[in-house]
Amino acid sequence: IICDEKKGTVKLDQKGMKIDLGGIAKGYTSGRVMEIMKKYGVKNAVISLGGNVQTLNSKPDGSAWQIAVEDPQDKSSYIGVLSLRNQAAITSGGYERYFEKNGKKYHHIIDPKTGYPVWNGLDSVTVVCDSGLLADGLSTACFVLGMDDALELLEKYNAEAVFVDEDKNVYLTSGMKDRFELMKNTYTVKEAE
């Protein structure tokens, strides 16, 4: 991808190449919906676009919005609840879109170094920050990077996260400790370091 900031153009290096913005489309859309709501005087709102949640201020009674974090090993339940005000919470993981072949799951989040699905022990990453667009991009990037490398990226963008691994551990960044409530005793909460 060749970007020319002076001209405001983006072009692809080879014929037949395409860009798919599906990885950030819902985050972008939720942010635009919030802008429209503000323009028309809406004071309190929450929007959910298939797991991408964005809040406007708090609930009308002044309390924080309670946003469920889905259990990646049991999609019919959730592992905990996030308290949010005026932020987005967006989750990426390999448990929603996948197929199985010979007893192995192949999900849709691809490691750019190998061309195969990412296998790093994480089941999901939920990123919380002020921008739905940024949270959407960061959640996928953090899932690909793995928790250790993702922490530096989150700090750079002033974002927080909830990491869930395949061993049923929930790792919280420092800003999530007081904003996440575990609801499933089969999981263990730890500090992301």
Side-chain angles (χ1 to χ4, degrees):
I1 299 175
I2 301 167
C3 300
D4 186 330
E5 290 186 43
K6 289 180 183 177
K7 292 181 182 176
T9 62
V10 176
K11 69 178 186 176
L12 299 172
D13 191 30
Q14 297 176 23
K15 188 175 183 172
M17 292 175 74
K18 295 180 182 182
I19 297 175
D20 179 348
L21 300 176
I24 58 170
K26 288 190 275 184
Y28 171 80
T29 301
S30 67
R32 291 289 295 136
V33 168
M34 288 301 168
E35 288 176 17
I36 293 166
M37 287 186 182
K38 288 176 189 176
K39 178 181 174 183
Y40 286 96
V42 175
K43 302 290 184 213
N44 312 87
V46 64
I47 183 170
S48 177
L49 301 173
N52 292 27
V53 177
Q54 189 149 352
T55 62
L56 176 60
N57 296 316
S58 57
K59 292 197 267 183
D61 67 7
S63 64
W65 296 101
Q66 301 301 299
I67 308 302
V69 176
E70 190 173 57
D71 182 344
Q73 295 183 20
D74 177 10
K75 294 189 302 183
S76 67
S77 67
Y78 53 95
I79 58 170
V81 176
L82 286 169
S83 295
L84 294 186
R85 287 182 170 90
N86 226 24
Q87 288 188 305
I90 298 183
T91 302
S92 289
Y95 60 96
E96 287 285 344
R97 287 182 260 164
Y98 65 89
F99 67 90
E100 288 187 48
K101 184 170 182 176
N102 299 326
K104 185 170 181 172
K105 286 185 181 180
Y106 295 86
H107 61 75
H108 71 292
I109 302 177
I110 304 300
D111 184 334
K113 293 176 184 168
T114 66
Y116 289 96
V118 173
W119 300 110
N120 59 19
L122 290 176
D123 275 348
S124 71
V125 178
T126 301
V127 170
V128 175
C129 66
D130 296 340
S131 163
L133 175 63
L134 182 59
D136 210 352
L138 285 175
S139 66
T140 304
C142 289
F143 186 84
V144 170
L145 288 170
M147 186 171 59
D148 293 338
D149 291 332
L151 294 174
E152 186 177 326
L153 182 65
L154 292 166
E155 189 174 317
K156 179 180 177 181
Y157 288 99
N158 195 31
E160 301 292 339
V162 176
F163 297 89
V164 180
D165 74 13
E166 60 193 14
D167 296 324
K168 294 193 171 191
N169 295 302
V170 178
Y171 294 91
L172 305 175
T173 57
S174 59
M176 288 289 95
K177 287 186 230 174
D178 296 332
R179 297 170 53 196
F180 178 82
E181 181 182 356
L182 185 69
M183 305 299 282
K184 236 180 177 178
N185 62 7
T186 56
Y187 281 81
T188 303
V189 174
K190 299 179 178 186
E191 185 176 340
E193 310 181 86

